[in-house]
Amino acid sequence: MPCLLVLLAFFTPRLVLVLVWLFSGFLGRAYESSIWPLMGFFFMPLTTLTYAAAINWHGSVSGFYFFAVLLAALSDMGVIGGSTHHISRRR
C-alpha cells in the first residue's frame, strides 16, 4: 500500500496529502503545528510529503533525504513556473 501512495503522490500529491492526514499521524510527527502542512497543501504539496517522509524515516533532512526534498521542491516550483510561462506565452 505505501508504494501505491508514493506512485499516486507523483500525479496527485494533494489527494495523497489529504489521505495521509486523515488516516495516519505521519504529518503530525513531522510538523509541530498544522499550519505548515496546510500551507504545503496549497503551495508545495510534493515537498510537504517528501519532508514528512524524511523526518519520519530518517529523523532529519540529510544525505539522500536532502536531495529527495530538493528534487521535490524543484519539481513543485517547475510546475508552478511552467504554468505561468505557458499562460504568458499564449497571450
Side-chain angles (χ1 to χ4, degrees):
M1 186 68 171
C3 291
L4 180 63
L5 282 177
V6 169
L7 289 175
L8 192 61
F10 287 117
F11 299 108
T12 58
R14 287 183 176 92
L15 175 65
V16 172
L17 197 58
V18 168
L19 291 175
V20 166
W21 176 71
L22 285 175
F23 297 115
S24 73
F26 199 71
L27 294 174
R29 290 188 302 266
Y31 297 100
E32 292 181 11
S33 69
S34 59
I35 190 72
W36 294 113
L38 182 65
M39 288 176 55
F41 176 81
F42 290 111
F43 297 112
M44 297 182 87
L46 195 57
T47 305
T48 303
L49 284 170
T50 308
Y51 176 81
I55 294 299
N56 281 301
W57 295 338
H58 184 64
S60 67
V61 181
S62 62
F64 167 76
Y65 295 100
F66 172 75
F67 290 109
V69 172
L70 181 66
L71 184 65
L74 291 174
S75 175
D76 279 337
M77 287 189 289
V79 169
I80 293 169
S83 63
T84 57
H85 175 73
H86 181 68
I87 290 171
S88 65
R89 191 172 185 199
R90 199 181 321 171
R91 290 183 187 176

